[in-house]
């Protein structure tokens, strides 16, 4: 029991001193439209949209985007890449990303319009303009997957037709920030110690 409590104390003190990872939206190309059009992101089709990071750049670790799906389909994954130009140039990230589907609604064309969220990276990028590319999307049935067109502020291109209106997506980023007082003050340590003693009592009641 003493060994378990000592280990728990070490872990909690380490957590107090550890920097926090703050999640935020680092680029937002506007909300899902869901009623105008959408572009295929599988069967060899690639859609590429620009995004711009301000001074200092940022660390990208995920994205959300709007997808049109046949009813009952669930997006499982898609190839996501970040490059210096549309469909290529310098590659900063390229990988298969798993997505979680939420908030689906039906549109007038009979498609389910869903919000898709996935995590990757983190990928550190300097200030500047980049291209986000989506392709090789996979659903449970093998059907086509479409990226919602919302005519947001970014430039966009499709590999078979060229320039198109841009799509609905938001890039997620993580900025490391220090918590207030990374070294616990004596009073904080005393409070932590008293909390651990109380926890020890609970553990004794549950284990014995």
């Amino acid at each position: 029991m003493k060994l378990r409590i000592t280990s728990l104390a070490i872990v909690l003190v380490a957590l107090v001193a550890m920097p926090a990872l703050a999640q935020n939206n680092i680029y937002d190309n506007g909300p899902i439209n869901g009623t105008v059009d959408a572009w295929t992101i599988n069967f060899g089709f690639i859609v590429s949209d620009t995004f711009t990071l301000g001074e200092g750049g940022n660390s990208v670790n995920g994205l959300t985007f709007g997808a049109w799906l046949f009813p009952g389909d669930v997006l499982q994954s898609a190839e996501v890449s970040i490059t210096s130009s549309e469909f290529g140039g310098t590659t900063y990230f390229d990988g298969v990303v798993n997505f979680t589907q939420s908030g689906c609604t039906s549109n007038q064309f009979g498609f389910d319009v869903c919000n898709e969220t996935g995590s990757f990276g983190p990928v550190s990028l300097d200030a500047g303009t980049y291209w986000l590319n989506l392709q090789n999307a996979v659903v449970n049935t093998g059907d086509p997957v479409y990226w919602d067109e919302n005519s947001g502020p970014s430039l966009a291109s499709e590999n078979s037709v060229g320039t198109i209106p841009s799509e609905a997506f938001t890039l997620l980023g993580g900025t490391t920030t220090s918590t207030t007082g990374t070294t616990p003050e004596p009073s904080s340590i005393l409070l932590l110690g008293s909390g651990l003693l109380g926890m020890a009592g609970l553990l004794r009641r549950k284990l014995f």
Side-chain angles (χ1 to χ4, degrees), residues 64-134:
T64 65
F65 76 96
W68 290 27
L69 304 165
F70 287 96
D73 283 359
V74 177
L75 178 66
Q76 297 171 331
S77 65
E79 182 179 350
V80 177
S81 60
I82 297 173
T83 55
S84 61
S85 59
E86 51 191 331
F87 317 122
T90 302
T91 300
Y92 304 97
F93 172 80
D94 189 349
V96 175
V97 175
N98 296 322
F99 286 90
T100 301
Q101 194 161 293
S102 63
C104 297
T105 60
S106 297
N107 67 10
Q108 74 273 31
F109 303 112
F111 288 95
D112 287 343
V113 180
C114 303
N115 190 63
E116 307 288 349
T117 303
S119 298
F120 56 85
V123 182
S124 295
L125 299 173
D126 295 330
T129 298
Y130 302 88
W131 292 80
L132 171 69
N133 312 284
L134 296 185

Side-chain angles (χ1 to χ4, degrees), residues 37 39-40 44-50 86-87 131-133 147 149 154-167:
D37 206 349
W39 295 85
T40 311
F45 296 103
I46 312 169
V47 178
S48 186
D49 279 51
T50 62
E86 51 191 331
F87 317 122
W131 292 80
L132 171 69
N133 312 284
W147 190 358
E149 176 187 300
S154 76
L155 302 176
S157 185
E158 197 266 0
N159 64 323
S160 68
V161 301
T163 301
I164 60 173
S166 66
E167 282 60 57

Side-chain angles (χ1 to χ4, degrees), residues 6 28 41 57 60 63 98-99 125 157 179 188:
T6 303
D28 188 348
I41 53 172
V60 183
L63 81 152
N98 296 322
F99 286 90
L125 299 173
S157 185
T179 56
S188 299

